[in-house]
Amino acid sequence: MKNLPDKTVERLSQYRRALLVCLADNKMHIFSHELAGLIHITPVQVRRDIILIGYSGTLRKGYDVRELVSLIGKIIDTEEGLRACIVGVGNLGRAIIRYFKDKRTKLVITAAFDTNPEKVKCVFSGVRCYPIEQLESVIREQDISIAILTVPGEVAASVAETLEKAGIRGIINYTPTPLNVSEKIYLGEYDMITSLEKAAYFVKNNRGE
Amino acid sequence: MKNLPDKTVERLSQYRRALLVCLADNKMHIFSHELAGLIHITPVQVRRDIILIGYSGTLRKGYDVRELVSLIGKIIDTEEGLRACIVGVGNLGRAIIRYFKDKRTKLVITAAFDTNPEKVKCVFSGVRCYPIEQLESVIREQDISIAILTVPGEVAASVAETLEKAGIRGIINYTPTPLNVSEKIYLGEYDMITSLEKAAYFVKNNRGE
DNA sequence: AATAAACTGTTAATGAAATAACAATACAAA
DNA sequence: TTTGTATTGTTATTTCATTAACAGTTTATT
Ligand SMILES: NC(=O)c1ccc[n+]([C@@H]2O[C@H](COP(=O)([O-])OP(=O)(O)OC[C@H]3O[C@@H](n4cnc5c(N)ncnc54)[C@H](O)[C@@H]3O)[C@@H](O)[C@H]2O)c1
Ligand SMILES: NC(=O)c1ccc[n+]([C@@H]2O[C@H](COP(=O)([O-])OP(=O)(O)OC[C@H]3O[C@@H](n4cnc5c(N)ncnc54)[C@H](O)[C@@H]3O)[C@@H](O)[C@H]2O)c1
């Protein structure tokens, strides 16, 4: 499959989240306008995305939810699954560990790291916390591809360097410190202040979404 | 000032974050390529954004950091400041409260809400937690414009409804439940699973950022 | 049958965002 | 001076994303 647009990839993830809720409700088919409504976009966009991934629905019946979920899985997930780790088990790190627990089978948080001796060896929502010194060895042993960075901002850069040496392939940075890593590594930076300031700007200017 | 593009608004927030670090380092001028490097974009884009907000630098000297910070403030912030609240003081809620503490003067978290009697009346990083029953009155009294939603997914929709009744103008939803609120209300939905799955997709396909 | 309604799928048009190309100018060095 | 260099600011172009328009199908209804 050719490279999908960035935005489509994001929406596929959202579609799947919504579709899994449908499945849980025993809803087996869904129309483009229903799916669109669930995530606040237009039906046309849903259909375009779906065409883009090479699926098609049946007229007057909509899309088969299970098939669509499975196809999105084929695109986003890997056969063998990917493993992720949390670096920095503070409030945010723990929140994320707990949130991910049992959410996905092909994308699992398998390890956490911290410097605090009290946290090391603890198990948080089923995830073992290792001392930061073992970061490299654990990442290699467990074949962890993605790291979620929730350490204090001051140490983010040095931790990122260690992650790079350990052969990590993607970093999600929740730290306020922007990182500089090799081009080869996928880097996602998320700062809640930006989210909130964006909201503030739109509220100030009386613009809805 | 005319309505700025969405993306520009986001970048302005990022610029300011970076610029504040510069100021703290006593760096008084900055070139477009320096600022660009700090947030991984191109110098041209920085210059375009800056032109868009009606500022101009001086040749061979770059942009005046303080002036730029102040101008971005004029755009994003309001004179009197905006207030925000946290609804749901769990791990995530506490992490956010702590993170925002003392970060901005014009955008402040002034209240938190929870149903848990043990949390009510507690003060988290300087922010008082009120019982959810007082949500409406506190929002009106303190003139809170933005709510950050970090309650369990199951109650998100009903809390959002209460927020709407209380006259909230923006909601930032970290809950996995997509919300349906009036068009008038700014709504930002952020799901970490989407961020992680996006990372997984790009890692799988060996594409960097 | 014929007609209407409800969808999907596709192509065309528009709009937004990013990039490229380059003109203009200040400063430094020769 | 003159020339070269670094940097901003502007316009043009390209790319990407969204929306609009509509053609085509299936089903239900008369
Ligand atoms: N992006 C956002 O929106 C957002 C929101 C909240 C917090 N944050 C940031 O996320 C980070 C974590 O926030 P928090 O509230 O959980 O902080 P926290 O202080 O509770 O947690 C940080 C954890 O990192 C550990 N740590 C310190 N140095 C370490 C190192 N070198 N290696 C490994 N672990 C180390 C600490 O022991 C602690 O457990 C901070 O940088 C904070 O600014 C970001
Ligand atoms: N978007 C993300 O990336 C992300 C990441 C982690 C967690 N989450 C979500 O954020 C939410 C909070 O996560 P958490 O780990 O902090 O959970 P948590 O269970 O620790 O916190 C939830 C808090 O909400 C309170 N609460 C429950 N019902 C309430 C109500 N009706 N009104 C007000 N408060 C109420 C609880 O008492 C608790 O304090 C969950 O929905 C979780 O799925 C999202």
Side-chain angles (χ1 to χ4, degrees):
Chain A
M1 163 115 9
K2 61 269 153 210
N3 283 345
L4 298 169
D6 226 68
K7 294 291 179 69
T8 298
V9 174
E10 278 176 36
R11 283 191 297 264
L12 287 178
S13 167
Q14 297 176 261
Y15 294 153
R16 176 159 71 171
R17 186 177 62 165
L19 292 170
L20 289 173
V21 175
C22 291
L23 268 192
D25 295 348
N26 249 355
K27 182 170 170 56
M28 291 311 186
H29 287 85
I30 194 166
F31 295 126
S32 62
H33 66 265
E34 294 176 305
L35 187 46
L38 290 172
I39 60 177
H40 309 124
I41 59 172
T42 66
V44 185
Q45 192 147 60
V46 169
R47 296 205 293 273
R48 270 185 118 277
D49 285 334
I50 287 178
I51 288 169
L52 222 54
I53 64 176
Y55 184 66
S56 45
T58 43
L59 248 172
R60 311 230 3 148
K61 227 181 155 189
Y63 302 95
D64 184 297
V65 177
R66 262 176 315 191
E67 283 178 16
L68 196 44
V69 164
S70 136
L71 181 55
I72 293 176
K74 287 217 181 74
I75 291 164
I76 293 181
D77 300 327
T78 59
E79 196 87 16
E80 339 76 58
L82 284 184
R83 282 149 301 286
C85 67
I86 294 275
V87 191
V89 190
N91 278 316
L92 185 57
R94 284 198 302 274
I96 295 176
I97 291 175
R98 185 135 67 91
Y99 180 52
F100 274 90
K101 182 160 171 52
D102 302 326
K103 280 278 193 316
R104 295 285 180 272
T105 52
K106 297 291 188 182
L107 190 49
V108 186
I109 296 178
T110 59
F113 301 94
D114 208 295
T115 41
N116 184 333
E118 306 215 331
K119 290 182 175 165
V120 163
K121 293 244 172 152
C122 286
V123 173
F124 298 92
S125 307
V127 175
R128 163 109 179 260
C129 180
Y130 299 87
I132 191 79
E133 292 77 25
Q134 292 175 25
L135 187 129
E136 199 162 340
S137 63
V138 172
I139 284 183
R140 292 195 192 280
E141 274 160 27
Q142 299 191 4
D143 189 22
I144 291 173
S145 308
I146 299 175
I148 300 170
L149 210 53
T150 53
V151 296
E154 306 83 48
V155 300
S158 90
V159 171
E161 215 174 299
T162 317
L163 284 167
E164 195 164 349
K165 267 191 251 150
I168 206 78
R169 299 178 57 203
I171 296 179
I172 297 186
N173 181 24
Y174 285 108
T175 280
T177 313
L179 298 180
N180 261 310
V181 294
S182 145
E183 294 260 303
K184 290 279 149 214
I185 298 180
Y186 172 87
L187 178 62
E189 310 235 15
Y190 298 92
D191 186 358
M192 289 175 192
I193 287 197
T194 296
S195 322
L196 190 59
E197 291 189 334
K198 190 176 165 192
Y201 174 82
F202 285 103
V203 162
K204 172 183 177 181
N205 294 36
N206 273 313
R207 292 165 60 184
E209 19 172 354
Chain B
M1 162 118 7
K2 60 270 153 213
N3 282 344
L4 297 169
D6 225 70
K7 293 291 178 69
T8 297
V9 174
E10 278 175 36
R11 282 191 298 263
L12 287 178
S13 167
Q14 296 176 260
Y15 295 153
R16 176 160 70 172
R17 185 176 62 166
L19 292 170
L20 289 172
V21 175
C22 291
L23 269 191
D25 295 348
N26 250 356
K27 182 170 168 57
M28 291 310 187
H29 286 86
I30 193 166
F31 295 126
S32 61
H33 66 264
E34 294 176 304
L35 187 47
L38 290 173
I39 61 176
H40 307 125
I41 60 173
T42 66
V44 185
Q45 192 145 60
V46 170
R47 297 206 293 273
R48 272 183 116 276
D49 284 334
I50 287 178
I51 289 169
L52 222 54
I53 64 175
Y55 185 66
S56 45
T58 41
L59 247 172
R60 311 229 3 147
K61 222 180 160 192
Y63 302 95
D64 184 295
V65 178
R66 262 176 315 189
E67 282 178 15
L68 197 44
V69 165
S70 136
L71 180 55
I72 294 177
K74 286 217 183 72
I75 291 164
I76 293 181
D77 299 328
T78 60
E79 196 87 15
E80 341 75 59
L82 284 186
R83 284 150 299 287
C85 67
I86 294 274
V87 190
V89 191
N91 278 316
L92 185 57
R94 283 198 302 274
I96 295 176
I97 291 175
R98 184 135 68 92
Y99 179 52
F100 274 89
K101 184 165 171 47
D102 301 325
K103 281 276 194 320
R104 294 285 181 271
T105 52
K106 297 291 188 182
L107 190 50
V108 186
I109 296 178
T110 58
F113 300 95
D114 208 295
T115 41
N116 185 335
E118 307 215 329
K119 290 184 176 164
V120 163
K121 296 243 172 156
C122 285
V123 174
F124 298 92
S125 307
V127 175
R128 162 108 179 263
C129 180
Y130 299 88
I132 191 80
E133 292 77 24
Q134 292 176 23
L135 187 128
E136 201 162 339
S137 62
V138 172
I139 285 184
R140 292 196 192 278
E141 275 160 28
Q142 300 191 1
D143 190 22
I144 292 173
S145 307
I146 299 175
I148 301 172
L149 210 54
T150 53
V151 295
E154 306 83 46
V155 301
S158 90
V159 170
E161 215 173 300
T162 317
L163 285 167
E164 195 166 347
K165 268 190 253 154
I168 206 81
R169 299 177 59 203
I171 296 178
I172 297 186
N173 182 24
Y174 285 110
T175 281
T177 312
L179 298 180
N180 261 309
V181 294
S182 144
E183 295 259 304
K184 289 280 150 216
I185 298 179
Y186 172 87
L187 178 60
E189 309 237 14
Y190 298 91
D191 187 356
M192 290 175 191
I193 287 195
T194 296
S195 323
L196 190 59
E197 290 187 335
K198 190 176 165 192
Y201 174 81
F202 285 103
V203 161
K204 173 183 175 180
N205 293 36
N206 272 312
R207 292 164 60 185
E209 24 178 347

